[in-house]
Amino acid sequence: MKPVVVRTIDRADAAAVETLGSLGTSSVHEAMGRIGLMKTYMRPAWPGAAIAGTAVTVLAQPGDNWMLHVAVEQCRPGDVLVVACTTDNTDGMFGDLLATSLQARGVRGIVIDAGVRDVASLKAMGFPAWSRAISAKGTVKATLGSVNIPVVCAGALVNPGDAIVADDDGVVVVPAKRAADVAEAGQKRVANEEEKRKRLAAGVLGLDMYNMRPALEAAGLVYVARLEDLDR
Amino acid sequence: MKPVVVRTIDRADAAAVETLGSLGTSSVHEAMGRIGLMKTYMRPAWPGAAIAGTAVTVLAQPGDNWMLHVAVEQCRPGDVLVVACTTDNTDGMFGDLLATSLQARGVRGIVIDAGVRDVASLKAMGFPAWSRAISAKGTVKATLGSVNIPVVCAGALVNPGDAIVADDDGVVVVPAKRAADVAEAGQKRVANEEEKRKRLAAGVLGLDMYNMRPALEAAGLVYVARLEDLDR
Amino acid sequence: MKPVVVRTIDRADAAAVETLGSLGTSSVHEAMGRIGLMKTYMRPAWPGAAIAGTAVTVLAQPGDNWMLHVAVEQCRPGDVLVVACTTDNTDGMFGDLLATSLQARGVRGIVIDAGVRDVASLKAMGFPAWSRAISAKGTVKATLGSVNIPVVCAGALVNPGDAIVADDDGVVVVPAKRAADVAEAGQKRVANEEEKRKRLAAGVLGLDMYNMRPALEAAGLVYVARLEDLDR
Amino acid sequence: MKPVVVRTIDRADAAAVETLGSLGTSSVHEAMGRIGLMKTYMRPAWPGAAIAGTAVTVLAQPGDNWMLHVAVEQCRPGDVLVVACTTDNTDGMFGDLLATSLQARGVRGIVIDAGVRDVASLKAMGFPAWSRAISAKGTVKATLGSVNIPVVCAGALVNPGDAIVADDDGVVVVPAKRAADVAEAGQKRVANEEEKRKRLAAGVLGLDMYNMRPALEAAGLVYVARLEDLDR
Amino acid sequence: MKPVVVRTIDRADAAAVETLGSLGTSSVHEAMGRIGLMKTYMRPAWPGAAIAGTAVTVLAQPGDNWMLHVAVEQCRPGDVLVVACTTDNTDGMFGDLLATSLQARGVRGIVIDAGVRDVASLKAMGFPAWSRAISAKGTVKATLGSVNIPVVCAGALVNPGDAIVADDDGVVVVPAKRAADVAEAGQKRVANEEEKRKRLAAGVLGLDMYNMRPALEAAGLVYVARLEDLDR
Amino acid sequence: MKPVVVRTIDRADAAAVETLGSLGTSSVHEAMGRIGLMKTYMRPAWPGAAIAGTAVTVLAQPGDNWMLHVAVEQCRPGDVLVVACTTDNTDGMFGDLLATSLQARGVRGIVIDAGVRDVASLKAMGFPAWSRAISAKGTVKATLGSVNIPVVCAGALVNPGDAIVADDDGVVVVPAKRAADVAEAGQKRVANEEEKRKRLAAGVLGLDMYNMRPALEAAGLVYVARLEDLDR
């Protein structure tokens, strides 16, 4: 495919994105029907960061951050830069200079299936980053990639404009068209959980609250006093 | 084997468990004769947590946390939930709702050879968790496993009732019957280390304090001024 | 090769080492021409530590920390202990007793391609450690290795006396003879970056600041409004 | 998302698929513009197998092969079954019974981002399989997934009907709509390579055949007699 | 624990072990209730080997094969040597000299959670080995371990005398006391599979043969002509 | 460092290299004093290949095989191409066209810390390759590296001209200056092993042949009839 920069993308609804961010990745992932999660090797460069935004995507070459510079220009306030790589790579493709530039444009964070560096500075700046590695290794600017094409980042399909939710539990992708529905489903789910939390804190067992006992018995679960009592 | 829940287990002596907790994993592991340590991929969900307790064990299916709900009922104050999986899995099988339930029963923490989620909440609640991964991915409740059978968790054999010691250095298992002996041996070891620490801080070399020089010479260690002086 | 301890090594220039430490690993790595970085699995035992010093090297056997005790005697104030292992190993070869001894001799930290333990104590002492793992597993003292020979540590060649720079971004090795040149090049680089940072923060695009547009066009990058517009 | 089986899919052109198979993965991947390759952990269960076909896709749960049985019915002669998993899993989801069933329907092989078993039987049957693991571990049939939806398998996006090429070098996905173009580009490429091979075998250097010397000189490559001659 | 060699162990019934070997790992694992499988990183040093025997266990130190020499004396015809390591290690602890010695005693193979070497010789000798790695790296003989104690090898608990079944699909452990029962269950299972295989080869769908359609419908599986038809 | 090609290197003695090849990696590694082995992830692209030769070294960028074309010109009959990469990478940097070129110059094989492709062709040509991965992914020709400088390949230091020995057990590096000594030591070792092999095949125990019993007793090894007899 030709290297290309796509200038016009359809971003997920801004209000829905805000709601998704308030829900957090775990609730959003459940509300999605348990799909859209990136691989668990994606970790925050510094703990406690939590963001939501709309994806500007980059497909980069290993050890080459040329296209990140190109992508900056395509970003708007509220975006999240999502960087996939044509092959597994841990080089430090992203550091505090690029972060300065993104922050100046109102970008909320970066999600990159490669390495980041200048971790202490990123934390001091309050610029969040999720990556597969931390690495001081710098990169060349030699080979083209693309901006705002569909990419697979850490095992998840990301289309430009999709909603990205990221926090200490990982990174979840919500297709732009489903953002409003998922936000609504997630809000119901969280309200419901709050009620459950109170009952569980009061000592009610999940076994009873969820009425699991009949299903467990039907599935064949056996209770014995001691393991020796089991007729295997 | 049939899926089973064992209701009666022999827990390690409570006083011995307290002592083991005060010693920490590194000292306990040495006092055990350097066995019983889980694989080093088991890491705390948040740093600084340090616990000791008696194991309630779970054998779960990958991506399925049904049996964790079953296990909650078998827990007593002072227990630690130890979850093994029938196959390698990183899904977020454990989150803040289950933690609320365990905390309500006086459980001290969870050790799980899979993923946990809601990390920010777990830290806020002060509920400790050691796991192989952090993942927002939720799980189904479809297939039975067992509670309080012997399991292999992160490479270590855990029998129900064994003492579990966990901190920033990892997770160690002490067989219930050996808990008192190991606690005593560990206390002697720590007292001895305190004395050594003072001497080392004063500049005494370990080479002299441990009288290593004769053994090193006997083993054939050669000192030269420069590498070129070595007759290979 | 015979096991050997080399007593006399040529250390990198002290002033250059201080400068390298002030630059940090990412800038030093760039100034080196993007070589000399250890593998990214080397992580700090506690975040925020940042050191530079001269290498005293150890080649140890897996699960055996005998030679670390030998190496302590060869250390001077301003050194960093660099431990390679004859085979991949994650055992906790280094803990707070050895740290006490090193700290008493003015050593600035340890870089070890194996495991460390007593992480909470190391942090409390303020003694920095970079390692491939954290592990409570103790070690034997049974087999010889060597001190102050050239070693490959986490994929990087380290000669005794080389400058070691380590922080949250990783660990970089600078050959002793190149320390002064790299320090100078790094200082220029950082000064230059400060200027760039201001412009980027003011909203100037890297595309323009680095004058990338002609090169991108020459390389064949295409801009389209929508992906459908692309003639593949 | 609701679990679903899609019955009607648009398969890549059969003649183009045959051509792609004759080219092999390496040539196809080049002809594609170096995209579409699955992660290199996907290996053939037995060496020497080489196939091309049209994808019938499955999204399965970890440790659960229920949906593979569902997918068999959707397969036609010339298809390849492509199985993605909602989370990383190595269980032996596929063995000789399912292979017998697929072979009876004219399916050419399976590509599965999990484990396979009965390897000796698969080889004896001549049924090819590419997987991330080999594992005797059987699976349950408890939770639904989907058939013939877009999936990410081993890092590559696969739409139902896409052309799949697999051999000892790995697995490549060609979008159904691009199959004919890629097949044509690949054929030209291979014809061109044959010519080059003869010249290289005759001792012509690639440096000269590809006329690389001017570009290397422009990029700054220096030739010296000995490393000491280099002015760094 | 003190280093110890246990001379007397209770071996699984010889006839049952033969039967288990004829069934192969996948069938045995199913007949066991899907437990007892070692991690999938355990691979044969050469393909096509398939054995069953009774375990003589070794707990060795990393990079140290002293205890393997000790264990040879404890082996009888029909045994399989099972080697666990106190920590993760890939050194070549086992080669053709030890294999010659084991073969002279009628041992059927080795299962080792570390490395083996002399792979070409092992294949030429027809001595089977399953390991986590292949490595030319030799080992020291410096530190004691134990023989014939319970060990955790590649994630599975192995007691001395347990039946070990190993082939191209992996390694399965059957407790000595359960060997006869599992052998019987496995034989029934295989007979049953033969019948199924014929029907599947004749084109009968597993969906119908296993009567899966009602359960799939009950679980909520939806069939649509095209994905666009799905009401999400 | 500037990108450079070094034209003149000191190759290990040809006769010594032949001897090293006849010994194989395991014997050479022992004769070296158990150093010089590459990481065990380096595996042959096809089993059974066994070579020895003198190293022409390449330092390449990830996903870029430009410098391999440059290196071909520096090769002589009897050489082995050794390719290190500035960062971890698995792309298929080497295939049958480059192999044709190397074979035309009398090169014996390639050792590459990245990926190779065209595996079926390499096997058909009889051109041996050791690599960390097999991958159909092609590479760009965009960034310079160096030829014939010291490199770290798969964890081992390789200087141009060093002897490389590679077979099914892995890859070992012998410094050019030590080649003759190591070859001689290895020959003695192998002669000695032949004698031992005969005795072991006749049933003599290694325990007795190596006179290990006194050392084992001195180290504290205890023999008991049953584990219960052990006084822990």
Side-chain angles (χ1 to χ4, degrees):
Chain A
M1 211 181 80
K2 284 185 191 168
V4 64
V5 180
V6 178
R7 282 204 172 106
T8 314
I9 63 177
D10 297 321
R11 286 171 169 85
D13 176 70
V17 171
E18 296 309 301
T19 303
L20 292 170
S22 71
L23 294 169
T25 55
S26 291
S27 292
V28 169
H29 179 252
E30 290 283 354
M32 284 270 285
R34 293 191 200 105
I35 56 171
L37 184 69
M38 291 191 185
K39 299 278 182 194
T40 59
Y41 63 68
M42 295 295 282
R43 300 300 305 143
W46 45 275
I51 61 167
T54 40
V56 167
T57 64
V58 180
L59 181 64
Q61 308 291 337
D64 191 318
N65 73 351
W66 210 11
M67 297 313 291
L68 274 72
H69 291 274
V70 174
V72 172
E73 191 178 26
Q74 307 304 320
C75 291
R76 290 191 197 162
D79 282 342
V80 172
L81 199 62
V82 175
V83 183
C85 202
T86 57
T87 194
D88 286 353
N89 183 253
T90 65
D91 292 355
M93 285 193 186
F94 179 84
D96 57 11
L97 281 187
L98 271 166
T100 301
S101 200
L102 287 178
Q103 211 172 41
R105 292 184 82 79
V107 173
R108 293 184 176 169
I110 187 170
V111 171
I112 178 167
D113 195 358
V116 298
R117 58 184 195 167
D118 302 328
V119 167
S121 296
L122 294 178
K123 189 177 179 183
M125 293 170 65
F127 191 83
W130 285 258
S131 69
R132 65 155 53 199
I134 292 169
S135 170
K137 187 165 193 312
T139 46
V140 297
K141 294 171 196 6
T143 310
L144 295 183
S146 291
V147 174
N148 278 333
I149 64 167
V151 296
V152 174
C153 179
L157 176 63
V158 185
N159 280 289
D162 283 352
I164 303 293
V165 188
D167 56 25
D168 284 354
D169 287 357
V171 184
V172 176
V173 186
V174 182
K177 287 185 183 170
R178 296 192 60 198
D181 286 354
V182 172
E184 190 185 331
Q187 281 179 312
K188 285 184 193 162
R189 185 180 177 82
V190 164
N192 185 21
E193 280 198 352
E194 211 41 55
E195 182 59 32
K196 287 180 189 164
R197 195 183 318 270
K198 283 176 197 163
R199 295 179 63 193
L200 292 169
V204 177
L205 287 174
L207 280 179
D208 297 314
M209 191 172 77
Y210 300 111
N211 191 27
M212 286 176 173
R213 294 189 198 272
L216 289 165
E217 191 180 342
L221 187 64
V222 176
Y223 284 78
V224 296
R226 295 220 164 244
L227 191 51
E228 301 82 73
D229 302 339
L230 181 66
D231 172 32
R232 303 177 198 205
Chain B
M1 211 181 81
K2 285 184 190 168
V4 64
V5 180
V6 178
R7 283 203 173 106
T8 315
I9 63 176
D10 297 321
R11 286 171 169 86
D13 176 70
V17 171
E18 295 310 301
T19 303
L20 292 170
S22 70
L23 295 169
T25 54
S26 291
S27 292
V28 168
H29 180 251
E30 291 283 355
M32 284 270 286
R34 292 192 202 105
I35 57 172
L37 184 69
M38 290 190 186
K39 299 279 182 194
T40 58
Y41 62 67
M42 295 295 282
R43 300 301 305 144
W46 44 275
I51 61 166
T54 41
V56 167
T57 65
V58 180
L59 182 63
Q61 307 292 338
D64 190 317
N65 74 351
W66 211 10
M67 297 313 291
L68 275 72
H69 291 273
V70 174
V72 172
E73 191 178 25
Q74 307 305 320
C75 292
R76 291 190 196 162
D79 282 342
V80 173
L81 199 62
V82 176
V83 183
C85 203
T86 57
T87 193
D88 286 354
N89 182 254
T90 64
D91 292 354
M93 286 193 185
F94 180 83
D96 59 10
L97 281 186
L98 270 166
T100 301
S101 201
L102 287 177
Q103 210 172 41
R105 292 185 82 80
V107 173
R108 294 184 174 167
I110 186 169
V111 171
I112 178 168
D113 195 358
V116 298
R117 57 184 195 167
D118 302 327
V119 168
S121 297
L122 293 179
K123 189 177 179 184
M125 293 170 64
F127 191 84
W130 285 257
S131 69
R132 67 154 53 198
I134 291 169
S135 170
K137 187 165 192 312
T139 46
V140 297
K141 294 171 196 7
T143 311
L144 295 183
S146 291
V147 174
N148 278 333
I149 64 167
V151 296
V152 173
C153 178
L157 176 64
V158 185
N159 280 288
D162 283 352
I164 303 294
V165 187
D167 57 25
D168 283 355
D169 288 358
V171 184
V172 176
V173 185
V174 183
K177 288 185 183 169
R178 294 192 61 198
D181 286 355
V182 172
E184 190 185 331
Q187 281 179 311
K188 285 183 191 161
R189 185 178 177 85
V190 166
N192 185 21
E193 280 198 353
E194 210 41 54
E195 182 60 33
K196 286 180 189 163
R197 193 182 320 270
K198 284 176 196 162
R199 295 180 63 193
L200 292 170
V204 177
L205 288 173
L207 280 180
D208 296 314
M209 191 172 77
Y210 300 111
N211 193 28
M212 285 176 173
R213 295 190 198 271
L216 288 166
E217 190 181 342
L221 187 64
V222 175
Y223 283 78
V224 295
R226 294 216 165 249
L227 192 51
E228 301 83 73
D229 303 339
L230 181 66
D231 171 33
R232 303 180 196 201
Chain C
M1 210 181 81
K2 285 184 189 169
V4 63
V5 180
V6 178
R7 283 203 173 107
T8 314
I9 63 176
D10 297 321
R11 285 171 171 84
D13 176 69
V17 171
E18 294 310 301
T19 303
L20 293 171
S22 70
L23 295 169
T25 55
S26 291
S27 293
V28 168
H29 180 252
E30 290 284 354
M32 284 271 286
R34 294 194 200 103
I35 56 172
L37 183 68
M38 291 191 185
K39 299 278 182 193
T40 58
Y41 61 68
M42 295 295 282
R43 300 301 307 143
W46 45 274
I51 61 166
T54 41
V56 166
T57 65
V58 181
L59 182 64
Q61 307 291 339
D64 191 318
N65 74 350
W66 210 9
M67 297 313 291
L68 274 72
H69 291 274
V70 173
V72 172
E73 192 178 26
Q74 307 304 320
C75 291
R76 291 190 195 163
D79 282 342
V80 172
L81 199 62
V82 176
V83 183
C85 201
T86 57
T87 194
D88 286 354
N89 183 255
T90 64
D91 293 354
M93 285 193 185
F94 180 84
D96 58 10
L97 282 186
L98 270 165
T100 302
S101 201
L102 287 178
Q103 209 171 41
R105 291 185 82 80
V107 172
R108 293 182 176 171
I110 186 169
V111 171
I112 177 168
D113 195 359
V116 298
R117 57 184 195 168
D118 302 328
V119 167
S121 296
L122 294 179
K123 188 177 180 184
M125 292 170 65
F127 191 85
W130 285 257
S131 69
R132 67 155 51 198
I134 292 169
S135 171
K137 186 163 194 312
T139 46
V140 298
K141 294 171 194 11
T143 310
L144 295 183
S146 291
V147 174
N148 278 333
I149 63 168
V151 297
V152 175
C153 179
L157 176 63
V158 185
N159 280 289
D162 283 353
I164 303 294
V165 187
D167 56 26
D168 282 355
D169 287 358
V171 184
V172 176
V173 185
V174 183
K177 288 184 182 170
R178 296 191 61 199
D181 286 355
V182 172
E184 190 185 333
Q187 281 179 312
K188 285 182 193 162
R189 185 179 177 83
V190 165
N192 185 21
E193 279 198 354
E194 210 41 55
E195 183 59 30
K196 287 179 190 164
R197 194 183 318 272
K198 284 177 197 162
R199 296 179 62 194
L200 292 170
V204 177
L205 287 175
L207 280 179
D208 297 313
M209 189 172 77
Y210 301 111
N211 192 27
M212 286 176 173
R213 294 189 197 272
L216 288 166
E217 190 180 342
L221 187 64
V222 175
Y223 284 77
V224 295
R226 294 208 166 256
L227 191 51
E228 302 82 72
D229 303 339
L230 181 65
D231 171 32
R232 304 179 196 202
Chain D
M1 211 182 80
K2 283 185 192 167
V4 64
V5 179
V6 178
R7 282 204 174 108
T8 313
I9 63 176
D10 298 320
R11 287 171 169 85
D13 176 69
V17 171
E18 296 309 301
T19 303
L20 292 170
S22 70
L23 294 170
T25 55
S26 292
S27 292
V28 169
H29 180 253
E30 291 283 354
M32 285 270 286
R34 294 192 201 105
I35 56 172
L37 184 68
M38 292 192 184
K39 299 279 184 193
T40 59
Y41 63 68
M42 295 295 281
R43 300 299 306 143
W46 45 274
I51 61 166
T54 41
V56 167
T57 65
V58 181
L59 181 64
Q61 308 290 339
D64 191 317
N65 73 351
W66 210 10
M67 297 313 290
L68 274 73
H69 291 274
V70 174
V72 172
E73 191 178 25
Q74 307 304 320
C75 291
R76 290 191 198 162
D79 281 344
V80 172
L81 199 63
V82 175
V83 183
C85 202
T86 56
T87 193
D88 286 353
N89 183 254
T90 64
D91 292 354
M93 285 193 186
F94 180 83
D96 57 11
L97 282 186
L98 271 165
T100 301
S101 199
L102 287 178
Q103 210 171 39
R105 293 184 81 81
V107 173
R108 294 185 176 169
I110 186 171
V111 171
I112 178 168
D113 196 359
V116 298
R117 57 184 193 167
D118 302 327
V119 167
S121 296
L122 294 179
K123 188 177 179 183
M125 291 171 64
F127 191 85
W130 284 258
S131 69
R132 67 153 52 199
I134 292 169
S135 170
K137 187 164 193 313
T139 46
V140 298
K141 296 172 197 1
T143 311
L144 295 183
S146 291
V147 174
N148 278 333
I149 63 168
V151 296
V152 174
C153 179
L157 177 64
V158 185
N159 280 289
D162 283 352
I164 304 293
V165 188
D167 56 25
D168 282 355
D169 287 358
V171 184
V172 176
V173 186
V174 182
K177 287 184 184 170
R178 295 191 62 199
D181 286 354
V182 172
E184 189 184 331
Q187 281 179 311
K188 284 183 193 161
R189 185 179 177 82
V190 164
N192 186 21
E193 279 198 354
E194 209 42 53
E195 183 60 32
K196 286 180 190 163
R197 194 183 318 271
K198 283 177 197 162
R199 294 179 63 193
L200 292 169
V204 177
L205 287 174
L207 280 179
D208 297 313
M209 190 172 76
Y210 300 111
N211 192 27
M212 287 177 172
R213 295 189 197 272
L216 287 166
E217 190 180 343
L221 186 64
V222 175
Y223 284 78
V224 296
R226 293 206 166 259
L227 191 51
E228 301 83 72
D229 302 340
L230 181 66
D231 171 33
R232 305 179 198 205
Chain E
M1 212 182 78
K2 285 184 190 168
V4 63
V5 180
V6 178
R7 283 204 172 105
T8 313
I9 63 176
D10 297 321
R11 286 171 170 86
D13 176 69
V17 171
E18 296 309 301
T19 302
L20 293 170
S22 70
L23 295 169
T25 55
S26 292
S27 293
V28 169
H29 180 252
E30 290 284 354
M32 284 270 286
R34 294 195 199 104
I35 56 171
L37 184 68
M38 291 191 184
K39 299 279 183 194
T40 58
Y41 62 68
M42 295 295 282
R43 300 300 306 144
W46 45 274
I51 61 166
T54 41
V56 166
T57 64
V58 180
L59 182 64
Q61 308 290 338
D64 191 317
N65 74 351
W66 210 10
M67 297 314 291
L68 274 73
H69 290 274
V70 173
V72 172
E73 192 178 25
Q74 307 305 320
C75 291
R76 290 191 197 163
D79 282 343
V80 172
L81 200 61
V82 176
V83 183
C85 202
T86 56
T87 194
D88 286 353
N89 183 255
T90 64
D91 293 354
M93 286 193 184
F94 180 83
D96 58 10
L97 282 186
L98 270 165
T100 301
S101 201
L102 287 178
Q103 210 172 41
R105 292 184 81 81
V107 172
R108 293 183 177 169
I110 186 170
V111 171
I112 178 167
D113 196 359
V116 298
R117 58 183 194 168
D118 303 329
V119 167
S121 296
L122 294 179
K123 188 177 180 184
M125 292 171 65
F127 191 84
W130 285 258
S131 69
R132 68 153 52 198
I134 292 170
S135 171
K137 188 168 191 312
T139 46
V140 298
K141 293 172 194 11
T143 311
L144 295 183
S146 290
V147 174
N148 278 332
I149 63 168
V151 296
V152 174
C153 179
L157 176 64
V158 186
N159 279 289
D162 283 352
I164 303 295
V165 188
D167 56 26
D168 282 354
D169 287 358
V171 184
V172 175
V173 186
V174 182
K177 287 184 183 171
R178 294 192 63 198
D181 286 354
V182 172
E184 191 185 331
Q187 281 179 312
K188 284 183 193 163
R189 187 181 176 82
V190 165
N192 185 22
E193 280 198 352
E194 210 42 53
E195 182 59 31
K196 286 179 190 164
R197 194 183 318 272
K198 284 176 197 163
R199 295 180 62 194
L200 293 169
V204 177
L205 288 174
L207 280 179
D208 297 312
M209 190 172 77
Y210 301 110
N211 192 28
M212 286 175 172
R213 295 190 198 270
L216 288 165
E217 190 181 343
L221 187 64
V222 175
Y223 284 78
V224 296
R226 295 223 164 241
L227 191 51
E228 301 82 72
D229 302 339
L230 181 66
D231 171 34
R232 306 180 195 203
Chain F
M1 210 180 81
K2 285 183 189 168
V4 63
V5 180
V6 178
R7 282 204 173 106
T8 313
I9 63 176
D10 297 321
R11 285 170 170 86
D13 176 70
V17 171
E18 295 309 301
T19 302
L20 292 170
S22 70
L23 295 169
T25 55
S26 291
S27 292
V28 169
H29 180 252
E30 290 284 354
M32 284 270 287
R34 293 193 202 104
I35 56 173
L37 184 68
M38 291 189 185
K39 299 279 183 193
T40 59
Y41 62 68
M42 294 295 282
R43 300 301 304 143
W46 45 273
I51 61 165
T54 41
V56 167
T57 65
V58 180
L59 182 64
Q61 307 291 338
D64 190 317
N65 74 351
W66 211 10
M67 296 313 291
L68 275 72
H69 290 274
V70 173
V72 172
E73 191 178 28
Q74 307 304 320
C75 291
R76 291 190 197 164
D79 282 342
V80 172
L81 199 62
V82 176
V83 183
C85 202
T86 57
T87 193
D88 286 353
N89 182 255
T90 65
D91 292 353
M93 286 193 184
F94 180 84
D96 58 10
L97 282 186
L98 271 166
T100 301
S101 201
L102 287 178
Q103 209 171 41
R105 291 184 82 80
V107 173
R108 293 184 177 170
I110 186 170
V111 171
I112 177 167
D113 196 359
V116 297
R117 58 183 194 167
D118 303 327
V119 167
S121 296
L122 294 179
K123 188 176 179 184
M125 293 171 64
F127 192 83
W130 285 258
S131 69
R132 67 154 53 198
I134 291 169
S135 171
K137 187 166 192 312
T139 46
V140 298
K141 294 172 194 10
T143 311
L144 294 183
S146 291
V147 174
N148 278 332
I149 64 167
V151 296
V152 174
C153 178
L157 175 64
V158 185
N159 280 288
D162 283 353
I164 303 294
V165 188
D167 57 25
D168 282 354
D169 287 359
V171 184
V172 176
V173 186
V174 182
K177 287 185 184 170
R178 292 192 63 199
D181 286 353
V182 171
E184 190 184 332
Q187 281 180 312
K188 285 183 190 161
R189 187 178 175 83
V190 165
N192 185 22
E193 278 198 355
E194 211 41 55
E195 182 60 31
K196 285 179 189 163
R197 193 183 318 270
K198 284 177 195 162
R199 295 180 63 193
L200 292 170
V204 177
L205 288 174
L207 281 180
D208 296 312
M209 191 172 77
Y210 300 111
N211 193 27
M212 285 176 172
R213 294 191 197 272
L216 288 166
E217 191 180 342
L221 186 64
V222 175
Y223 284 78
V224 295
R226 294 209 166 259
L227 191 52
E228 302 83 73
D229 302 340
L230 181 65
D231 172 31
R232 305 179 196 203

